[in-house]
Amino acid sequence: AESDEFVQMFLDEARTAADLRHANIVNIYEVGEAEATYYMAMEYLHGRDIRRIQRQAEKRKMPIPLHVTLEILRQCAMGLHYAHSKTDLRGKALNIVHRDISPHNLIVTFEGTSKVVDFGIAKAESQTQQTASGVLKGKYSYMSPEQARNPAAVDEQTDVFSLAATLHH
C-alpha cells in the first residue's frame, strides 16, 4: 500500500478480473481497502493447479490421459476466449491478454471444472498503468516469441501460444 505504482497495478488487476464472469475464470467478489490495506476477495477453488497434477502423475509414473488433458485445456481456452472477446458496455473491445498462461495459473477443481486464474499481469485497454517498454512479464518457458520480442505489442495469440506450450509440457 506504500507504493502508488503497486497499488495502481493491483487495482488494474482487480478491475480487469472483477468484470470477467465466466465458468472457466476465477470469480472476483469484492475489491476494497481496509485500514490502508487493499484486498481482493475471490472465489475459493477447491482443487489443484496443472503443474501439481503433472508432478503427481510423474511421481506415480501414470501419464494424464489425453482426453482429460484436452478437456482441461478446452475449458481453459473457453475462459480465455471469453476474456479476449470481452467488451465494455458500449461494445468497445477491452483487448484483455492474460500474458502469464502456464500450468501454475490453470486450476482444476475436484468437481472437474478448469479455471484460469491470476490476471495480475494481464494487459487490457482499460488499464491506467501500462507496462514499460521492454519489460517482460510472464514465465519464459511458456512465453510466445512475440511476447519475448516486444512485450508491449502482445495480443490474444500470445495466450493461445502459452496454452499450447502448457499442453506440450
Side-chain angles (χ1 to χ4, degrees):
E2 295 172 12
S3 166
D4 290 338
E5 184 178 341
F6 179 81
V7 168
Q8 198 56 56
M9 285 185 350
F10 176 82
L11 292 174
D12 278 341
E13 172 188 0
R15 277 191 216 87
T16 299
D19 197 34
L20 297 175
R21 295 283 179 236
H22 190 274
N24 302 111
I25 296 177
V26 67
N27 288 306
I28 306 298
Y29 297 125
E30 185 178 355
V31 177
E33 177 190 5
E35 299 176 17
T37 300
Y38 293 90
Y39 68 89
M40 181 174 11
M42 62 179 52
E43 171 184 20
Y44 173 73
L45 298 177
H46 189 59
R48 302 284 185 259
D49 68 61
I50 290 179
R51 184 65 197 131
R52 188 166 176 185
I53 293 168
Q54 289 170 329
R55 285 189 176 156
Q56 288 175 342
E58 289 167 5
K59 186 188 277 187
R60 293 179 180 162
K61 297 185 185 332
M62 296 177 62
I64 301 168
L66 181 60
H67 74 278
V68 172
T69 299
L70 293 176
E71 179 59 20
I72 291 167
L73 293 174
R74 182 189 73 79
Q75 289 183 31
C76 291
M78 288 172 47
L80 285 172
H81 176 71
Y82 171 81
H84 295 157
S85 304
K86 184 74 172 151
T87 60
D88 65 14
L89 294 174
R90 295 185 180 118
K92 181 183 176 211
L94 294 177
N95 296 317
I96 296 170
V97 181
H98 188 283
R99 297 195 301 181
D100 194 20
I101 294 299
S102 67
H104 306 86
N105 290 330
L106 305 175
I107 305 292
V108 181
T109 68
F110 292 128
E111 291 79 29
T113 303
S114 301
K115 295 199 179 218
V116 179
V117 301
D118 195 1
F119 279 79
I121 65 169
K123 175 184 160 230
E125 293 293 321
S126 61
Q127 289 179 326
T128 58
Q129 295 284 316
Q130 297 298 320
T131 300
S133 181
V135 175
L136 282 177
K137 292 187 172 186
K139 294 177 186 74
Y140 300 125
S141 300
Y142 303 95
M143 191 178 287
S144 72
E146 296 80 13
Q147 184 177 3
R149 204 175 303 117
N150 187 1
V154 297
D155 63 16
E156 66 275 354
Q157 292 179 22
T158 292
D159 289 343
V160 173
F161 180 94
S162 298
L163 194 60
T166 299
L167 170 65
H168 183 271
H169 190 258

